[in-house]
Amino acid sequence: MMQLFRKDRMWTPRPLKSRYDVVIIGAGVHGLATAYYLTKLGITDIAVLDKSYIGAGASARSTAILRANYITAEGIPFFRESLKLYETLSQDLDFNLMFDQMGRLDLGHTDSAVYGLRVRAEFNQMLGVDSSIIGPDEIKDLVPAINLRTGQTLPIMAALYHPPAGTIRHDAVVWAYGRGADHGGAQIHPFTEVTGFLRDGNRVTGVQTPVGPIHAGTVLSATAGWSSTIAAMLGIKIPIVTHPLQAMVTEPLKPFIDKTLSSANLHVYVYQTDRGEVVIGGGVDPYPSYSHRSTLHQMQDLAAHVLEMLPCLREVKVMRQWTGLCDMSPDYAPIMGPLDGIEGFYMTAGWGTWGFKAGPIGGKSMAEFIVTGKTPDLIKHFGLDRFRTGRLVNERAAAPAAAIH
Ligand SMILES: Cc1cc2nc3c(=O)[nH]c(=O)nc-3n(C[C@H](O)[C@H](O)[C@H](O)COP(=O)(O)OP(=O)(O)OC[C@H]3O[C@@H](n4cnc5c(N)ncnc54)[C@H](O)[C@@H]3O)c2cc1C
């Protein structure tokens, strides 16, 4: 029977030590999952440091859509393995994560969009991911409330249907990984900002914080939207640009859709939570910024676009709107591993608007990397060196600018 542990401490405050085997910067899903899987591999002398509260970054601001229907031979197996880990994560972490495997429709409104979805369906099937093309009648059967836009601009011509996709309670995932890591021996230190690095030549030997230096055998940055600022502390410029991403949620309604819907042409994605709220999101703000301010302009855009797909929402009130930061990489794929010429330091970044779903496999892979010193096969194409060699992953086609989750 699942335990909720409402009275128990999620993690135990402990005095900060002056040295750890591993220091992880950033207590989002990636930092905490890495800490958790490290403890499973026998490394327990770990500190996870965050400049804010646990989950303050993009992880607890995510719309928490999980899927594996990407387009590249590198991306599909990686996200497929993450989705598999999510399927049993509530049991593994003994915490109710409210995982709902509701399925997803990526809608195609033009011949070229449908062609792209067909290519994805073929690649997905070849690589063991359940997705296929369905037509308007089947779409209407699955989502009776949808406006197929017959005779209008951008009619819904087809969809990529991906039954194993789903959603999960994002902040619960963060808390549960934090609790799991803590129970395995890792220490979690909120409100402990990393302001610089300790170095011995090209080797990183620890981090600098306002409460003093902390020495470490290995340092991992899992700071997503702030990754460039961390790399800059080491004097390195990485090809990541930070953009805000906004989302909003309506008042609760009786259940009326049980799929996540995404339309690159209509610049919007939408689903209904178990609480009845309708979550609505779109593309990143078009300018780089570290601002967490939500804008009326984006709320109006999202509202207009979702009504083109679900006109039944026209009288519904928006309850909340929020913003998080996304570390966009040029090829829409992650950057995992060492930085050129720096020893003792790794980075897991480039998670953009798609990184929440990658938390479990991203953390597991980085933990294996740190313990063995060998790059796991699943992430061998995601090194920073690909921007030098030109072997880009090019996941953008499965993450079209407007509906990239
Ligand atoms: C609105 C929105 C919706 C999204 N929807 C989805 C979705 O549906 N599906 C999906 O897969 N992805 C989605 N994403 C993307 C996803 O949320 C992120 O890619 C993912 O959560 C990144 O996780 P992380 O652990 O790498 O970073 P974060 O969760 O951002 O954590 C980084 C942490 O680093 C800390 N930090 C930064 N600098 C320092 C420092 N100097 N010292 C100490 N700590 C520091 C921050 O305080 C922060 O807590 C969405 C993002 C947003 C903003």
Side-chain angles (χ1 to χ4, degrees):
M1 168 117 156
M2 192 82 59
Q3 298 177 58
L4 282 176
F5 287 93
R6 293 205 177 152
K7 294 194 301 281
D8 293 352
R9 266 192 188 282
M10 293 295 294
W11 42 84
T12 310
R14 297 194 183 91
L16 199 57
K17 298 194 302 176
S18 59
R19 191 193 182 281
Y20 295 87
D21 286 345
V22 181
V23 164
I24 297 175
I25 316 168
V29 68
H30 282 278
L32 291 168
T34 305
Y36 170 76
Y37 292 111
L38 276 171
T39 65
K40 293 278 158 202
L41 293 173
I43 305 280
T44 57
D45 188 28
I46 305 167
V48 184
L49 312 179
D50 201 289
K51 66 177 180 173
S52 187
Y53 61 90
I54 304 309
S59 294
R61 296 164 193 267
S62 154
T63 42
I65 293 178
L66 313 179
R67 64 182 175 93
N69 61 350
Y70 278 75
I71 197 167
T72 66
E74 298 85 2
I76 294 167
F78 179 75
F79 289 106
R80 181 193 65 208
E81 293 311 305
S82 210
L83 193 51
K84 273 193 205 154
L85 289 172
Y86 266 124
E87 282 171 353
T88 57
L89 202 60
S90 287
Q91 289 75 22
D92 295 346
L93 298 174
D94 193 20
F95 200 96
N96 183 0
L97 303 175
M98 299 172 77
F99 180 50
D100 184 347
Q101 214 154 12
M102 59 174 76
R104 168 182 173 103
L105 299 178
D106 282 278
L107 305 172
H109 306 252
T110 64
D111 288 338
S112 60
V114 174
Y115 173 78
L117 297 178
R118 282 192 192 286
V119 172
R120 273 167 73 184
E122 295 290 329
F123 271 122
N124 286 182
Q125 285 162 21
M126 276 167 56
L127 293 166
V129 168
D130 181 5
S131 67
S132 57
I133 297 294
I134 58 173
D137 290 347
E138 213 173 336
I139 296 170
K140 190 75 181 166
D141 271 355
L142 291 170
V143 187
I146 203 165
N147 172 17
L148 289 175
R149 307 182 56 77
T150 316
Q152 292 177 262
T153 53
L154 298 175
I156 296 177
M157 298 166 66
L160 180 67
Y161 180 33
H162 177 38
T167 61
I168 200 158
R169 181 151 181 211
H170 47 4
D171 35 20
V173 172
V174 171
W175 300 329
Y177 267 130
R179 193 186 65 157
D182 173 274
H183 288 190
Q187 295 190 3
I188 297 175
H189 293 279
F191 302 105
T192 309
E193 181 168 6
V194 169
T195 52
F197 287 95
L198 311 176
R199 291 181 67 160
D200 180 4
N202 281 342
R203 186 167 191 88
V204 168
T205 57
V207 296
Q208 199 63 257
T209 75
V211 287
I214 303 171
H215 299 268
T218 302
V219 176
L220 171 72
S221 167
T223 50
W226 295 268
S227 299
S228 313
T229 64
I230 296 286
M233 291 176 196
L234 291 165
I236 292 182
K237 194 165 165 28
I238 53 171
I240 282 183
V241 181
T242 294
H243 284 258
L245 176 63
Q246 306 186 37
M248 63 189 198
V249 71
T250 70
E251 61 188 328
L253 307 174
K254 68 176 187 295
F256 79 105
I257 22 172
D258 65 354
K259 300 280 170 277
T260 68
L261 302 177
S262 175
S263 166
N265 295 120
L266 295 181
H267 309 292
V268 73
Y269 66 92
V270 57
Y271 69 91
Q272 188 172 25
T273 69
D274 285 344
R275 288 161 56 111
E277 298 157 352
V278 182
V279 176
I280 305 166
V284 289
D285 289 358
Y287 41 82
S289 167
Y290 287 88
S291 167
H292 277 83
R293 289 181 70 159
S294 305
T295 62
L296 179 61
H297 172 78
Q298 179 68 349
M299 184 194 284
Q300 285 170 328
D301 258 20
L302 291 177
H305 292 309
V306 81
L307 288 179
E308 290 175 312
M309 194 196 294
L310 296 169
C312 59
L313 292 178
R314 67 188 168 276
E315 300 295 338
V316 173
K317 293 179 187 59
V318 170
M319 221 166 49
R320 275 183 293 123
Q321 184 189 10
W322 67 94
T323 303
L325 299 184
C326 295
D327 44 334
M328 306 297 288
S329 61
D331 58 357
Y332 286 61
I335 297 175
M336 301 174 79
L339 297 190
D340 286 349
I342 306 280
E343 289 170 27
F345 176 86
Y346 301 119
M347 179 163 268
T348 179
W351 293 117
T353 63
W354 51 85
F356 189 80
K357 67 179 73 60
I361 198 65
K364 194 160 185 271
S365 304
M366 283 318 295
E368 277 169 32
F369 195 13
I370 290 168
V371 170
T372 64
K374 295 198 190 97
T375 311
D377 271 358
L378 266 183
I379 64 166
K380 69 179 179 209
H381 300 284
F382 298 146
L384 182 64
D385 57 348
R386 73 181 184 272
F387 298 101
R388 193 164 15 87
T389 60
R391 298 174 70 88
L392 302 189
V393 176
N394 200 6
E395 199 52 79
R396 182 164 187 171
I404 35 191
H405 305 273

